[in-house]
Amino acid sequence: MEKFDKVWVNARIAIVDDNGEIIVHENSFLAIKNKKIAKIDKMENFEHLSVNKIYDVENRLITTSLIDCHTHLIFGGNRANEFEKRLNGISYAQIAKEGGGIASSIKNTREESFDSIYKNSAKRLEALIKDGVTTIEIKTGYGLDTQSEIKMLKIAQKLEMNYPIHIEKTFLGAHAVPLEYKNDSDSYIDYICDEMLPEVHKLGLVTCVDAYCEHLAFTVEQTKKVFEKAKSLGLNVKLHAEQFSSMGASDMACDFNALSVDHLEYTGEKTVEKMAKSGTVAVLLPGAYYFLRETKMPPIELFRKYNVPIAIATDLNPGTSALCSLQLMMNMSAVIFGLSVNETFNAVTKNASKALGLQESKGSLDIGFDADFCVWDISHPRDLVCSYLPTSLHYSVYMGEQVYV
């Protein structure tokens, strides 16, 4: 007789097949052992199991839990005043020139205490957990000196210790040029490569390195130097690129086998073809697109043509996507970007896990994967895409333990 630690019975279980189609299996159960998914089968075969604990979900829907693969969740201060300025017609670039934008968040993150930032970041994290998220990526990039970047990473570390969630911690030192290097961005890149990156790597707090390659931030050559250093330390890379312009940054990222390139509104066909060859995920950020009233769409049809995996994320940040719901991003991706239900669901599960390099353990209800899943009061995953229902999550399970919300 097969033996398992826990089993969830009388469930309707949503499985994604090899073609990316969602199939709902009625009258089924899901069993776990050693915090891993061990068996999914019909209830008629349940009597042959030996189980330590049984949960009856009463015909509710089980899916793999959601993954938010791009956030800037940890920051100090508040930039709602900039939102109002943009409503009054002031551009993001002009706000940045006036000392706002990322520079404002840098100042506040440096000055605000660890405990204060932790407290406010925890509120945002709790909102995402209540959305069904059990895996999240959190970037640094609002400290931009060694001490402040480490402060952000240690806040992320404490959040992971205190909440039922897996956090991928990404170093984004090349997010903007801090004021002390205002007229010498090359020296700041040297500081990142020679001091900041080695220090955060030594502490074992990061698995990936990101950069912002745009006319508002860093050049392709500067970004390449950061990526070369990251790779020399054995770290994965990903990139913010082609949000406002096309500089060839994504092509360069593909040369480094980047896990993902994110934003991508100005990406062309040759770049998309290169992403397909390098296995790089296209992460779309509809919250920023919506918040900034952008009009140029990411090349969705090209991603489909070349079978580039599409992920979506909140891009949760204080200035350009202050929206703390992955379910809301799912709706936006369908309505604004035209993704199908299947594409949208895969974008916050299977493809999001690949964007974080976690495709062998998270993002699918597969045997041997981590026991991370959600129990929903809905009939089908399309309900998550169609409408934003904060109460639709009955509870989630993280590494085999129930999370009540």
Side-chain angles (χ1 to χ4, degrees):
M1 181 177 287
E2 294 180 279
K3 295 183 179 180
F4 300 96
D5 298 330
K6 299 175 183 179
V7 62
W8 282 257
V9 301
N10 298 316
R12 303 166 57 255
I13 300 179
I15 305 289
V16 177
D17 68 15
D18 292 339
N19 296 317
E21 299 287 328
I22 300 169
I23 309 295
V24 176
H25 296 267
E26 304 287 341
N27 196 33
S28 299
F29 69 84
L30 184 155
I32 70 169
K33 187 173 183 179
N34 298 325
K35 299 183 179 181
K36 302 286 185 179
I37 296 171
K39 192 177 185 67
I40 296 173
D41 204 346
K42 291 290 187 179
M43 282 301 299
E44 60 196 56
N45 298 318
F46 174 65
E47 62 186 37
H48 305 296
L49 304 186
S50 173
V51 181
N52 292 332
K53 194 164 186 177
I54 297 173
Y55 301 93
D56 188 347
V57 304
E58 300 176 334
N59 206 39
R60 291 183 174 89
L61 182 74
I62 293 179
T63 75
T64 186
S65 56
L66 309 185
I67 298 172
D68 194 349
C69 63
H70 180 134
T71 84
H72 306 257
L73 181 143
I74 297 171
F75 55 84
N78 180 296
R79 283 162 57 188
N81 63 316
E82 294 179 12
F83 175 75
E84 184 176 15
K85 287 181 179 180
R86 287 197 302 274
L87 291 178
N88 292 330
I90 301 176
S91 70
Y92 180 82
Q94 184 60 38
I95 290 170
K97 288 181 180 179
E98 295 173 355
I102 294 171
S104 173
S105 291
I106 294 165
K107 181 177 184 296
N108 289 321
T109 302
R110 288 178 175 182
E111 295 176 354
E112 197 170 326
S113 72
F114 180 102
D115 289 343
S116 176
I117 295 176
Y118 172 84
K119 180 180 178 180
N120 289 319
S121 299
K123 293 176 183 177
R124 294 185 278 270
L125 186 64
E126 288 168 8
L128 288 168
I129 291 172
K130 290 178 180 179
D131 238 20
V133 174
T134 63
T135 298
I136 186 173
E137 186 242 28
I138 300 178
K139 304 177 191 293
T140 67
Y142 291 131
L144 306 192
D145 60 40
T146 303
Q147 180 181 355
S148 301
E149 290 287 291
I150 289 174
K151 178 170 73 171
M152 293 184 71
L153 288 167
K154 288 187 174 179
I155 290 170
Q157 183 181 48
K158 184 176 179 179
L159 288 169
E160 189 171 30
M161 290 174 58
N162 291 342
Y163 286 90
I165 196 164
H166 174 78
I167 298 177
E168 284 290 305
K169 305 165 198 71
T170 296
F171 174 74
L172 182 56
H175 195 194
V177 181
L179 286 176
E180 58 269 30
Y181 288 92
K182 184 177 180 179
N183 298 313
D184 193 0
S185 59
D186 285 336
S187 291
Y188 178 61
I189 292 294
D190 290 340
Y191 173 53
I192 290 173
C193 295
D194 297 340
E195 296 187 38
M196 295 174 73
L197 250 176
E199 187 65 23
V200 298
H201 177 258
K202 183 173 68 176
L203 293 173
L205 294 176
V206 298
T207 56
C208 194
V209 172
D210 199 347
Y212 185 26
C213 191
E214 269 289 356
H215 60 88
L216 295 172
F218 298 99
T219 67
V220 173
E221 284 304 312
Q222 289 172 327
T223 304
K224 182 179 179 181
K225 187 171 183 178
V226 173
F227 281 7
E228 287 172 342
K229 183 64 179 183
K231 286 292 188 177
S232 75
L233 296 172
L235 298 171
N236 289 317
V237 298
K238 53 176 50 192
L239 185 66
H240 290 62
E242 273 105 55
Q243 182 180 11
F244 302 118
S245 63
S246 180
M247 297 170 55
S250 293
D251 290 71
M252 181 273 296
C254 291
D255 291 337
F256 286 88
N257 296 310
L259 292 177
S260 73
V261 180
D262 306 18
H263 287 294
L264 296 169
E265 283 86 343
Y266 285 80
T267 301
E269 185 165 4
K270 289 184 178 180
T271 297
V272 174
E273 186 175 8
K274 195 167 184 178
M275 290 175 67
K277 292 177 181 178
S278 64
T280 299
V281 177
V283 178
L284 309 185
L285 304 172
Y289 183 93
Y290 162 83
F291 228 69
L292 293 174
R293 296 177 170 180
E294 295 295 334
T295 56
K296 185 170 177 57
M297 295 269 288
I300 306 296
E301 289 301 328
L302 290 178
F303 298 141
R304 289 170 175 156
K305 176 181 177 180
Y306 290 99
N307 295 313
V308 172
I310 298 173
I312 58 176
T314 60
D315 192 18
L316 174 59
N317 72 77
T320 61
S321 188
L323 301 167
C324 200
S325 170
L326 191 55
Q327 287 187 44
L328 180 59
M329 297 304 111
M330 294 168 72
N331 179 267
M332 284 185 175
S333 294
V335 174
I336 299 175
F337 292 159
L339 298 189
S340 69
V341 167
N342 290 330
E343 287 174 325
T344 302
F345 184 71
N346 284 316
V348 294
T349 55
K350 182 179 179 179
N351 294 344
S353 71
K354 187 176 182 183
L356 297 178
L358 300 175
Q359 64 270 29
E360 300 300 323
S361 61
K362 296 185 183 292
S364 298
L365 292 182
D366 288 334
I367 306 305
F369 273 52
D370 291 344
D372 298 349
F373 53 90
C374 292
V375 179
W376 305 95
D377 285 321
I378 57 176
S379 62
H380 189 278
R382 70 173 66 93
D383 296 334
L384 300 175
V385 181
C386 175
S387 57
Y388 173 48
L389 299 169
T391 59
S392 62
L393 179 64
H394 190 58
Y395 60 80
S396 59
V397 174
Y398 171 67
M399 298 300 288
E401 298 296 326
Q402 286 195 13
V403 179
Y404 289 93
V405 297

